[in-house]
Protein backbone atom coordinates (compact mmCIF):
# COMPACT_ATOMS: atom_id res chain seq x y z
CA UNK A 1 0.00 0.00 0.00
CA UNK A 2 2.94 2.32 0.35
CA UNK A 3 2.32 5.78 1.74
CA UNK A 4 -1.25 6.13 0.50
CA UNK A 5 -3.96 7.76 2.57
CA UNK A 6 -5.41 4.27 3.19
CA UNK A 7 -2.10 2.88 4.48
CA UNK A 8 -1.71 5.91 6.74
CA UNK A 9 -5.28 5.56 8.06
CA UNK A 10 -4.75 1.84 8.76
CA UNK A 11 -1.56 2.65 10.62
CA UNK A 12 -3.17 5.52 12.55
CA UNK A 13 -5.99 3.23 13.71
CA UNK A 14 -3.93 0.15 14.55
CA UNK A 15 -0.64 1.50 15.90
CA UNK A 16 -1.97 3.89 18.53
CA UNK A 17 -3.17 3.12 22.05
CA UNK A 18 -6.10 0.74 21.84
CA UNK A 19 -5.24 -0.11 18.24
CA UNK A 20 -5.46 -3.86 18.79
CA UNK A 21 -9.26 -3.75 18.87
CA UNK A 22 -9.28 -2.08 15.46
CA UNK A 23 -6.65 -4.36 13.93
CA UNK A 24 -8.61 -7.48 14.96
CA UNK A 25 -11.72 -6.16 13.18
CA UNK A 26 -9.81 -4.83 10.17
CA UNK A 27 -7.98 -8.13 9.66
CA UNK A 28 -11.29 -9.96 9.79
CA UNK A 29 -12.96 -7.64 7.25
CA UNK A 30 -10.02 -7.74 4.86
CA UNK A 31 -9.81 -11.54 5.07
CA UNK A 32 -13.46 -11.61 3.96
CA UNK A 33 -12.64 -9.50 0.90
CA UNK A 34 -13.63 -6.02 2.05
CA UNK A 35 -11.17 -3.35 1.11
CA UNK A 36 -10.25 -0.38 3.29
CA UNK A 37 -10.36 3.18 2.01
CA UNK A 38 -8.85 6.05 3.95
CA UNK A 39 -9.04 9.66 2.90
CA UNK A 40 -6.46 12.25 3.88
CA UNK A 41 -9.09 14.83 4.88
CA UNK A 42 -11.02 12.68 7.37
CA UNK A 43 -10.42 10.52 10.41
CA UNK A 44 -12.67 7.81 9.00
CA UNK A 45 -11.64 4.46 7.56
CA UNK A 46 -14.26 3.03 5.22
CA UNK A 47 -14.58 -0.66 4.31
CA UNK A 48 -15.98 -1.42 0.89
CA UNK A 49 -17.34 -4.50 -0.83
CA UNK A 50 -16.74 -4.73 -4.57
CA UNK A 51 -19.32 -6.80 -6.45
CA UNK A 52 -18.45 -8.85 -9.53
CA UNK A 53 -19.93 -6.06 -11.67
CA UNK A 54 -17.40 -3.62 -10.19
CA UNK A 55 -20.06 -1.76 -8.19
CA UNK A 56 -18.57 -0.59 -4.89
CA UNK A 57 -20.65 -0.71 -1.69
CA UNK A 58 -19.59 1.37 1.35
CA UNK A 59 -20.42 -1.23 4.01
CA UNK A 60 -18.78 -0.14 7.27
CA UNK A 61 -16.81 2.83 8.53
CA UNK A 62 -14.67 3.33 11.62
CA UNK A 63 -13.73 6.43 13.56
CA UNK A 64 -11.25 6.75 16.43
CA UNK A 65 -12.66 9.70 18.35
CA UNK A 66 -15.00 8.48 19.60
CA UNK A 67 -14.10 4.88 18.73
CA UNK A 68 -17.08 3.67 16.71
CA UNK A 69 -18.17 1.29 13.99
CA UNK A 70 -20.58 3.13 11.73
CA UNK A 71 -23.13 1.95 9.17
CA UNK A 72 -22.96 4.24 6.09
CA UNK A 73 -26.42 5.40 4.97
CA UNK A 74 -25.50 4.83 1.33
CA UNK A 75 -25.54 1.06 1.97
CA UNK A 76 -27.83 0.66 4.97
CA UNK A 77 -30.78 2.95 4.16
CA UNK A 78 -32.55 0.08 2.39
CA UNK A 79 -31.30 -2.59 4.80
CA UNK A 80 -32.63 -1.32 8.13
CA UNK A 81 -33.98 -4.71 9.25
CA UNK A 82 -30.64 -6.39 8.55
CA UNK A 83 -28.75 -3.65 10.43
CA UNK A 84 -31.08 -3.92 13.44
CA UNK A 85 -30.60 -7.69 13.49
CA UNK A 86 -26.82 -7.24 13.44
CA UNK A 87 -27.11 -4.84 16.39
CA UNK A 88 -29.32 -7.06 18.59
CA UNK A 89 -26.38 -8.20 20.76
CA UNK A 90 -25.59 -4.64 21.85
CA UNK A 91 -26.97 -2.68 24.79
CA UNK A 92 -28.71 0.64 24.12
CA UNK A 93 -25.77 2.42 25.80
CA UNK A 94 -23.41 0.88 23.22
CA UNK A 95 -25.53 2.03 20.28
CA UNK A 96 -24.78 5.63 19.43
CA UNK A 97 -26.88 8.14 17.55
CA UNK A 98 -26.41 8.32 13.78
CA UNK A 99 -24.24 11.07 12.38
CA UNK A 100 -25.25 13.40 9.58
CA UNK A 101 -22.12 14.30 7.67
CA UNK A 102 -21.45 16.96 5.12
CA UNK A 103 -21.29 16.04 1.45
CA UNK A 104 -21.93 12.56 0.07
CA UNK A 105 -24.19 9.94 1.63
CA UNK A 106 -21.14 7.87 2.59
CA UNK A 107 -20.47 10.59 5.19
CA UNK A 108 -23.85 9.93 6.83
CA UNK A 109 -24.44 7.16 9.34
CA UNK A 110 -27.52 4.99 9.75
CA UNK A 111 -26.28 3.98 13.21
CA UNK A 112 -23.13 3.45 15.24
CA UNK A 113 -21.73 1.06 17.82
CA UNK A 114 -19.06 1.93 20.37
CA UNK A 115 -15.78 0.06 19.83
CA UNK A 116 -14.33 -0.99 23.18
CA UNK A 117 -12.87 -3.98 25.01
CA UNK A 118 -16.41 -4.77 26.18
CA UNK A 119 -17.87 -4.79 22.65
CA UNK A 120 -14.96 -6.31 20.71
CA UNK A 121 -16.09 -9.94 20.74
CA UNK A 122 -19.64 -8.99 19.75
CA UNK A 123 -18.28 -6.71 17.01
CA UNK A 124 -16.28 -9.65 15.65
CA UNK A 125 -19.49 -11.70 15.57
CA UNK A 126 -21.27 -8.81 13.81
CA UNK A 127 -18.49 -8.55 11.20
CA UNK A 128 -18.61 -12.29 10.56
CA UNK A 129 -22.39 -12.26 10.12
CA UNK A 130 -22.15 -9.23 7.84
CA UNK A 131 -19.38 -10.73 5.70
CA UNK A 132 -21.29 -14.00 5.39
CA UNK A 133 -24.31 -12.06 4.11
CA UNK A 134 -22.37 -10.11 1.48
CA UNK A 135 -22.39 -13.04 -0.94
CA UNK A 136 -25.92 -11.95 -1.87
CA UNK A 137 -24.41 -8.75 -3.32
CA UNK A 138 -21.93 -10.54 -5.56
CA UNK A 139 -24.09 -10.22 -8.68
CA UNK A 140 -24.87 -6.49 -8.19
Amino acid sequence: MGSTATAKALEDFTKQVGGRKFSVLFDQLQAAGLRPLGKSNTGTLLFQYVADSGLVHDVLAFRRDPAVLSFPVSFWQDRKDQRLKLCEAFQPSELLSPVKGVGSQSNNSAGQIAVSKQTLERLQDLCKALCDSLESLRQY
Side-chain angles (χ1 to χ4, degrees):
M1 269 187 223
S3 63
T4 66
T6 298
K8 181 172 179 357
L10 282 167
E11 184 174 318
D12 287 349
F13 272 90
T14 59
K15 303 297 183 202
Q16 295 183 8
V17 175
R20 183 189 171 284
K21 63 184 175 263
F22 287 111
S23 82
V24 166
L25 296 171
F26 296 173
D27 290 348
Q28 182 180 7
L29 293 170
Q30 290 180 85
L34 274 74
R35 69 176 190 199
L37 176 64
K39 296 181 181 177
S40 58
N41 63 343
T42 177
T44 300
L45 185 64
L46 189 63
F47 278 83
Q48 301 176 314
Y49 178 80
V50 182
D52 290 344
S53 66
L55 185 61
V56 178
H57 302 278
D58 297 337
V59 177
L60 293 176
F62 292 85
R63 286 199 329 269
R64 279 192 321 243
D65 189 23
V68 297
L69 174 151
S70 182
F71 297 92
V73 167
S74 58
F75 183 77
W76 293 101
Q77 67 186 351
D78 296 329
R79 296 173 176 87
K80 182 179 179 182
D81 291 343
Q82 183 184 2
R83 180 180 56 80
L84 293 174
K85 184 157 180 58
L86 289 170
C87 294
E88 285 178 346
F90 297 89
Q91 301 298 314
S93 61
E94 297 166 332
L95 301 172
L96 307 175
S97 297
V99 171
K100 296 285 188 201
V102 177
S104 73
Q105 271 196 323
S106 65
N107 294 338
N108 292 329
S109 170
Q112 301 183 109
I113 301 172
V115 177
S116 68
K117 283 192 298 188
Q118 294 75 26
T119 61
L120 184 58
E121 189 173 317
R122 288 174 285 149
L123 286 170
Q124 288 176 274
D125 292 343
L126 179 151
C127 288
K128 180 182 182 338
L130 172 63
C131 290
D132 289 348
S133 73
L134 289 176
E135 279 302 309
S136 66
L137 290 177
R138 184 161 293 286
Q139 70 275 10
Y140 294 106

